[in-house]
Amino acid sequence: MIKVIQPGIETTVQDIGRIGHYEMGMPPSGAMDKYSFHVANYIVGNEENAAVLEATYMGPELKFEEDAVIAITGGEIPPKINGEKVGTWEAIAVKAGDTLSFDFVKMGARIYIAIAGGIDVPILIESRSTYTLCAIGGFEGRALKAGDVLKIGQQKEKEAEIGKRVEENFIPKYGKMHEIRIVMGLCSYRLTEASKRKFLEIDWLVTPEANRVGYRFKGERLDFVEREQPFGAGSNPSNVVDLGYPIGSIQVPDGVEPIALLNDAVTGGGYATIATIISSDLNKMAQVKTGEKVRFVAVDIDEALRIRKETKDRLQEIKQKFA
């Protein structure tokens, strides 16, 4: 058992997510930084999809009622056990009675706390992930609160090797300026050519509206090509006939403040999606904070697939080292 003393700003139970239910309007939820999620589970010897804790900006304070093995990956939110600093991206032994806490965030935005055996919560629509907007999944469908008690599961594949750490070249580095690669489309044709160039040239500022649903950016207005309003579309130039929203798709309502839709976003609507963040860089997007800047970099689909394979190969190499 693990008792929540303080929950942090937003700490939720997440696994890989509720994949394949867009047709019923259900977003996947799940870990936003899947690279860090997978590596945390590899370190502690868990099954691929064991549930972990995802904490944003501020880590929780947790008291362990039993011995456990944990790993903390993701952004730089330095952890402590009983007030003493401990490492990240490595297997750590925790004793019954120990308290895990965290200092203030330094770089990145989210951490992942994996516990050998996983977090034991009910499976709902094939996932243990929390979707707070509908109050389903995870721990009672919500972020953790002080006084909650978490059960440790049995989802282990092997015993972790205490002290074993991920090699430095596999650990992401975070700054305050982020390059996020995108594929232009599906509806980028709605932008003027000048605005397409502007979209890729601006350093977009992340506003305080940045969470698991989506990130809103501030920069300059983007202009849309004039057109006759199509049947079934709204009157604003940024409107189209309703379409599906992939995770990472970027829309610009009225040409002002682009929004990148993320794991808990709606699955479709009537705004033109001008670009989509490539899957590998969704991990990077998860580590961007309010007040930081993003530059979008266009790649083609072949490059996006090459980068995805590179990321999968890196994860497989890490997995083998902890097998």
Side-chain angles (χ1 to χ4, degrees), residues 85-153:
K85 292 182 179 180
V86 294
T88 56
W89 300 85
E90 67 179 78
I92 301 167
V94 179
K95 299 296 184 184
D98 284 350
T99 298
L100 173 67
S101 60
F102 294 84
D103 283 337
F104 294 107
V105 60
K106 294 189 175 182
M107 289 292 177
R110 290 174 173 82
I111 56 169
Y112 294 84
I113 306 168
I115 297 141
I119 304 295
D120 185 9
V121 293
I123 295 174
L124 182 63
I125 316 179
E126 303 173 29
S127 174
R128 291 182 169 86
S129 286
T130 312
Y131 180 34
T132 58
L133 293 184
C134 283
I136 65 171
F139 188 90
E140 298 181 0
R142 58 171 171 79
L144 298 185
K145 295 179 180 179
D148 289 342
V149 176
L150 303 171
K151 295 179 181 179
I152 299 174

Side-chain angles (χ1 to χ4, degrees), residues 180-240:
I180 301 295
R181 291 165 291 191
I182 52 97
V183 175
M184 293 298 291
L186 179 65
C187 302
S188 54
Y189 68 89
R190 291 292 305 120
L191 291 176
T192 65
E193 290 301 318
S195 285
K196 288 180 192 176
R197 293 192 296 271
K198 186 187 294 185
F199 174 67
L200 299 172
E201 291 169 355
I202 289 173
D203 291 338
W204 295 97
L205 179 70
V206 180
T207 74
E209 295 176 86
N211 52 44
R212 289 182 50 85
V213 175
Y215 275 44
R216 187 183 292 267
F217 303 92
K218 188 178 291 292
E220 299 181 27
R221 173 181 282 276
L222 301 179
D223 296 317
F224 289 86
V225 176
E226 291 186 12
R227 53 85 199 244
E228 184 177 335
Q229 181 181 347
F231 177 77
S235 60
N236 191 277
S238 62
N239 291 141
V240 292

Side-chain angles (χ1 to χ4, degrees), residues 233-281:
S235 60
N236 191 277
S238 62
N239 291 141
V240 292
V241 178
D242 282 12
L243 43 71
Y245 292 155
I247 300 302
S249 57
I250 299 172
Q251 56 184 221
V252 195
D254 198 29
V256 180
E257 297 188 357
I259 302 169
L261 301 174
L262 299 174
N263 297 46
D264 288 355
V266 295
T267 59
Y271 285 114
T273 51
I274 63 169
T276 300
I277 299 169
I278 68 171
S279 59
S280 293
D281 281 10

